[in-house]
Amino acid sequence: SVIGRAFAYRTLHDIHPVEADKLHLKMHLNGLEKINVLAAEHRETDSSYLFKHVLIQEVAYNLMTFSQRRQLHEQIATWYEQVHADDQSPYYPLLAHHWIRAENTPKALDNLERAGELAFQNFANEEAITFLSQALALDTQTGYRVEPLRRARWELLLGEAYVHRSRYGEGQAHLEAG
């Protein structure tokens, strides 16, 4: 449930915290599939699973302690960084999500910034607005305080993204803040 509503067997296997349980993981997943908790898609190279309902995933997620969830989010983010070390760009939003939940503000901000910049470069202005706004909010909420020039760059990109979406008032405010 920490990985997400949809997850690959390989990811679950690699980050599973109890080594002895890894031997029986397929059996447990098949059991959950039989009682309609999960839907499976089996392929030659890997299997993936989907919680049949988001509420089931949320209940499973909330049954864990906060420290368990935080540790698993950190393991998942680290796994994605290692497995996709050659090109993490498709995973910036996912990495940001897991680093936020792992309470690793510097890594979360790095990935939100990268996701925002990439979205902006690809003319996905609404996504850029989302990621850069999250970065600004996280920086403020956590008190981490990135360097002023870095924060100013986020404000400028955010302002431009708002202007590209014809939201001139919001754009102007961010451009002035930048």
PDB file of all heavy atoms in Angstrom, residues 3 8-17 19 22-23 25 79:
ATOM      1  N   ILE A   3       3.689   1.623  -1.691  1.00  0.00           N
ATOM      2  CA  ILE A   3       4.180   1.821  -3.051  1.00  0.00           C
ATOM      3  C   ILE A   3       3.158   2.622  -3.850  1.00  0.00           C
ATOM      4  O   ILE A   3       3.510   3.509  -4.609  1.00  0.00           O
ATOM      5  CB  ILE A   3       4.462   0.475  -3.750  1.00  0.00           C
ATOM      6  CG1 ILE A   3       5.550  -0.294  -3.007  1.00  0.00           C
ATOM      7  CG2 ILE A   3       4.865   0.690  -5.200  1.00  0.00           C
ATOM      8  CD1 ILE A   3       5.720  -1.733  -3.469  1.00  0.00           C
ATOM      9  N   ALA A   8       4.379  -2.988  -9.006  1.00  0.00           N
ATOM     10  CA  ALA A   8       5.006  -4.128  -9.670  1.00  0.00           C
ATOM     11  C   ALA A   8       5.501  -5.111  -8.615  1.00  0.00           C
ATOM     12  O   ALA A   8       5.957  -4.707  -7.539  1.00  0.00           O
ATOM     13  CB  ALA A   8       6.172  -3.669 -10.531  1.00  0.00           C
ATOM     14  N   TYR A   9       5.404  -6.382  -8.942  1.00  0.00           N
ATOM     15  CA  TYR A   9       5.899  -7.420  -8.031  1.00  0.00           C
ATOM     16  C   TYR A   9       7.367  -7.184  -7.702  1.00  0.00           C
ATOM     17  O   TYR A   9       7.778  -7.295  -6.547  1.00  0.00           O
ATOM     18  CB  TYR A   9       5.703  -8.810  -8.645  1.00  0.00           C
ATOM     19  CG  TYR A   9       6.363  -9.887  -7.827  1.00  0.00           C
ATOM     20  CD1 TYR A   9       5.771 -10.361  -6.668  1.00  0.00           C
ATOM     21  CD2 TYR A   9       7.610 -10.395  -8.194  1.00  0.00           C
ATOM     22  CE1 TYR A   9       6.391 -11.330  -5.894  1.00  0.00           C
ATOM     23  CE2 TYR A   9       8.234 -11.363  -7.431  1.00  0.00           C
ATOM     24  CZ  TYR A   9       7.623 -11.829  -6.274  1.00  0.00           C
ATOM     25  OH  TYR A   9       8.244 -12.772  -5.508  1.00  0.00           O
ATOM     26  N   ARG A  10       8.141  -6.850  -8.713  1.00  0.00           N
ATOM     27  CA  ARG A  10       9.583  -6.652  -8.506  1.00  0.00           C
ATOM     28  C   ARG A  10       9.853  -5.588  -7.448  1.00  0.00           C
ATOM     29  O   ARG A  10      10.712  -5.748  -6.582  1.00  0.00           O
ATOM     30  CB  ARG A  10      10.233  -6.262  -9.833  1.00  0.00           C
ATOM     31  CG  ARG A  10      11.708  -5.962  -9.707  1.00  0.00           C
ATOM     32  CD  ARG A  10      12.313  -5.559 -11.042  1.00  0.00           C
ATOM     33  NE  ARG A  10      13.678  -5.123 -10.851  1.00  0.00           N
ATOM     34  CZ  ARG A  10      14.269  -4.238 -11.600  1.00  0.00           C
ATOM     35  NH1 ARG A  10      13.639  -3.704 -12.627  1.00  0.00           N
ATOM     36  NH2 ARG A  10      15.506  -3.881 -11.365  1.00  0.00           N
ATOM     37  N   THR A  11       9.129  -4.481  -7.515  1.00  0.00           N
ATOM     38  CA  THR A  11       9.306  -3.408  -6.539  1.00  0.00           C
ATOM     39  C   THR A  11       8.980  -3.908  -5.145  1.00  0.00           C
ATOM     40  O   THR A  11       9.761  -3.719  -4.205  1.00  0.00           O
ATOM     41  CB  THR A  11       8.414  -2.203  -6.885  1.00  0.00           C
ATOM     42  OG1 THR A  11       8.604  -1.838  -8.241  1.00  0.00           O
ATOM     43  CG2 THR A  11       8.710  -1.028  -5.975  1.00  0.00           C
ATOM     44  N   LEU A  12       7.830  -4.555  -5.006  1.00  0.00           N
ATOM     45  CA  LEU A  12       7.421  -5.080  -3.708  1.00  0.00           C
ATOM     46  C   LEU A  12       8.445  -6.076  -3.175  1.00  0.00           C
ATOM     47  O   LEU A  12       8.837  -6.018  -2.005  1.00  0.00           O
ATOM     48  CB  LEU A  12       6.043  -5.735  -3.813  1.00  0.00           C
ATOM     49  CG  LEU A  12       5.504  -6.364  -2.522  1.00  0.00           C
ATOM     50  CD1 LEU A  12       5.303  -5.301  -1.448  1.00  0.00           C
ATOM     51  CD2 LEU A  12       4.207  -7.101  -2.806  1.00  0.00           C
ATOM     52  N   HIS A  13       8.883  -6.962  -4.018  1.00  0.00           N
ATOM     53  CA  HIS A  13       9.862  -7.974  -3.608  1.00  0.00           C
ATOM     54  C   HIS A  13      11.165  -7.313  -3.130  1.00  0.00           C
ATOM     55  O   HIS A  13      11.712  -7.669  -2.087  1.00  0.00           O
ATOM     56  CB  HIS A  13      10.143  -8.931  -4.763  1.00  0.00           C
ATOM     57  CG  HIS A  13      11.137  -9.993  -4.418  1.00  0.00           C
ATOM     58  ND1 HIS A  13      12.485  -9.812  -4.596  1.00  0.00           N
ATOM     59  CD2 HIS A  13      10.970 -11.231  -3.891  1.00  0.00           C
ATOM     60  CE1 HIS A  13      13.126 -10.893  -4.189  1.00  0.00           C
ATOM     61  NE2 HIS A  13      12.230 -11.779  -3.759  1.00  0.00           N
ATOM     62  N   ASP A  14      11.630  -6.360  -3.896  1.00  0.00           N
ATOM     63  CA  ASP A  14      12.916  -5.738  -3.571  1.00  0.00           C
ATOM     64  C   ASP A  14      12.894  -4.899  -2.308  1.00  0.00           C
ATOM     65  O   ASP A  14      13.900  -4.813  -1.611  1.00  0.00           O
ATOM     66  CB  ASP A  14      13.406  -4.887  -4.745  1.00  0.00           C
ATOM     67  CG  ASP A  14      13.833  -5.717  -5.943  1.00  0.00           C
ATOM     68  OD1 ASP A  14      13.859  -6.972  -5.840  1.00  0.00           O
ATOM     69  OD2 ASP A  14      14.137  -5.113  -6.991  1.00  0.00           O
ATOM     70  N   ILE A  15      11.773  -4.271  -1.997  1.00  0.00           N
ATOM     71  CA  ILE A  15      11.735  -3.398  -0.811  1.00  0.00           C
ATOM     72  C   ILE A  15      11.061  -4.061   0.395  1.00  0.00           C
ATOM     73  O   ILE A  15      11.029  -3.474   1.468  1.00  0.00           O
ATOM     74  CB  ILE A  15      11.052  -2.042  -1.109  1.00  0.00           C
ATOM     75  CG1 ILE A  15       9.581  -2.197  -1.498  1.00  0.00           C
ATOM     76  CG2 ILE A  15      11.804  -1.290  -2.176  1.00  0.00           C
ATOM     77  CD1 ILE A  15       8.628  -1.900  -0.394  1.00  0.00           C
ATOM     78  N   HIS A  16      10.548  -5.265   0.213  1.00  0.00           N
ATOM     79  CA  HIS A  16       9.836  -5.933   1.303  1.00  0.00           C
ATOM     80  C   HIS A  16      10.737  -6.011   2.538  1.00  0.00           C
ATOM     81  O   HIS A  16      11.861  -6.493   2.461  1.00  0.00           O
ATOM     82  CB  HIS A  16       9.383  -7.331   0.881  1.00  0.00           C
ATOM     83  CG  HIS A  16       8.316  -7.883   1.754  1.00  0.00           C
ATOM     84  ND1 HIS A  16       8.582  -8.440   2.988  1.00  0.00           N
ATOM     85  CD2 HIS A  16       6.972  -7.936   1.596  1.00  0.00           C
ATOM     86  CE1 HIS A  16       7.455  -8.828   3.543  1.00  0.00           C
ATOM     87  NE2 HIS A  16       6.462  -8.525   2.713  1.00  0.00           N
ATOM     88  N   PRO A  17      10.250  -5.534   3.682  1.00  0.00           N
ATOM     89  CA  PRO A  17      11.118  -5.419   4.860  1.00  0.00           C
ATOM     90  C   PRO A  17      11.438  -6.741   5.570  1.00  0.00           C
ATOM     91  O   PRO A  17      12.404  -6.814   6.320  1.00  0.00           O
ATOM     92  CB  PRO A  17      10.337  -4.486   5.787  1.00  0.00           C
ATOM     93  CG  PRO A  17       8.912  -4.675   5.393  1.00  0.00           C
ATOM     94  CD  PRO A  17       8.925  -4.979   3.919  1.00  0.00           C
ATOM     95  N   GLU A  19      12.709 -10.320   5.116  1.00  0.00           N
ATOM     96  CA  GLU A  19      13.395 -11.171   4.142  1.00  0.00           C
ATOM     97  C   GLU A  19      12.767 -12.561   4.058  1.00  0.00           C
ATOM     98  O   GLU A  19      12.582 -13.110   2.974  1.00  0.00           O
ATOM     99  CB  GLU A  19      14.881 -11.279   4.514  1.00  0.00           C
ATOM    100  CG  GLU A  19      15.770 -11.767   3.409  1.00  0.00           C
ATOM    101  CD  GLU A  19      15.826 -10.853   2.199  1.00  0.00           C
ATOM    102  OE1 GLU A  19      15.827  -9.619   2.346  1.00  0.00           O
ATOM    103  OE2 GLU A  19      15.866 -11.395   1.074  1.00  0.00           O
ATOM    104  N   LYS A  22       9.682 -13.014   1.778  1.00  0.00           N
ATOM    105  CA  LYS A  22       9.833 -12.872   0.332  1.00  0.00           C
ATOM    106  C   LYS A  22       9.602 -14.192  -0.391  1.00  0.00           C
ATOM    107  O   LYS A  22       9.134 -14.207  -1.512  1.00  0.00           O
ATOM    108  CB  LYS A  22      11.208 -12.310  -0.019  1.00  0.00           C
ATOM    109  CG  LYS A  22      11.368 -10.854   0.335  1.00  0.00           C
ATOM    110  CD  LYS A  22      12.720 -10.332  -0.104  1.00  0.00           C
ATOM    111  CE  LYS A  22      12.872  -8.865   0.233  1.00  0.00           C
ATOM    112  NZ  LYS A  22      14.142  -8.320  -0.271  1.00  0.00           N
ATOM    113  N   LEU A  23       9.901 -15.302   0.270  1.00  0.00           N
ATOM    114  CA  LEU A  23       9.697 -16.620  -0.343  1.00  0.00           C
ATOM    115  C   LEU A  23       8.225 -16.910  -0.598  1.00  0.00           C
ATOM    116  O   LEU A  23       7.878 -17.638  -1.520  1.00  0.00           O
ATOM    117  CB  LEU A  23      10.279 -17.713   0.557  1.00  0.00           C
ATOM    118  CG  LEU A  23      11.787 -17.676   0.786  1.00  0.00           C
ATOM    119  CD1 LEU A  23      12.184 -18.690   1.853  1.00  0.00           C
ATOM    120  CD2 LEU A  23      12.517 -17.948  -0.519  1.00  0.00           C
ATOM    121  N   LEU A  25       5.820 -14.468  -0.962  1.00  0.00           N
ATOM    122  CA  LEU A  25       5.160 -13.258  -1.435  1.00  0.00           C
ATOM    123  C   LEU A  25       4.164 -13.529  -2.560  1.00  0.00           C
ATOM    124  O   LEU A  25       3.029 -13.047  -2.521  1.00  0.00           O
ATOM    125  CB  LEU A  25       6.223 -12.252  -1.895  1.00  0.00           C
ATOM    126  CG  LEU A  25       5.848 -10.796  -1.963  1.00  0.00           C
ATOM    127  CD1 LEU A  25       5.203 -10.295  -0.682  1.00  0.00           C
ATOM    128  CD2 LEU A  25       7.080  -9.962  -2.279  1.00  0.00           C
ATOM    129  N   TRP A  79      15.078   2.805  -3.763  1.00  0.00           N
ATOM    130  CA  TRP A  79      15.003   1.751  -4.781  1.00  0.00           C
ATOM    131  C   TRP A  79      14.856   2.368  -6.170  1.00  0.00           C
ATOM    132  O   TRP A  79      15.567   2.002  -7.099  1.00  0.00           O
ATOM    133  CB  TRP A  79      13.837   0.810  -4.471  1.00  0.00           C
ATOM    134  CG  TRP A  79      13.706  -0.324  -5.427  1.00  0.00           C
ATOM    135  CD1 TRP A  79      14.328  -1.541  -5.361  1.00  0.00           C
ATOM    136  CD2 TRP A  79      12.893  -0.368  -6.615  1.00  0.00           C
ATOM    137  NE1 TRP A  79      13.955  -2.330  -6.432  1.00  0.00           N
ATOM    138  CE2 TRP A  79      13.079  -1.632  -7.211  1.00  0.00           C
ATOM    139  CE3 TRP A  79      12.033   0.534  -7.220  1.00  0.00           C
ATOM    140  CZ2 TRP A  79      12.427  -2.011  -8.380  1.00  0.00           C
ATOM    141  CZ3 TRP A  79      11.388   0.161  -8.392  1.00  0.00           C
ATOM    142  CH2 TRP A  79      11.591  -1.101  -8.957  1.00  0.00           C
TER     143      TRP A  79
END
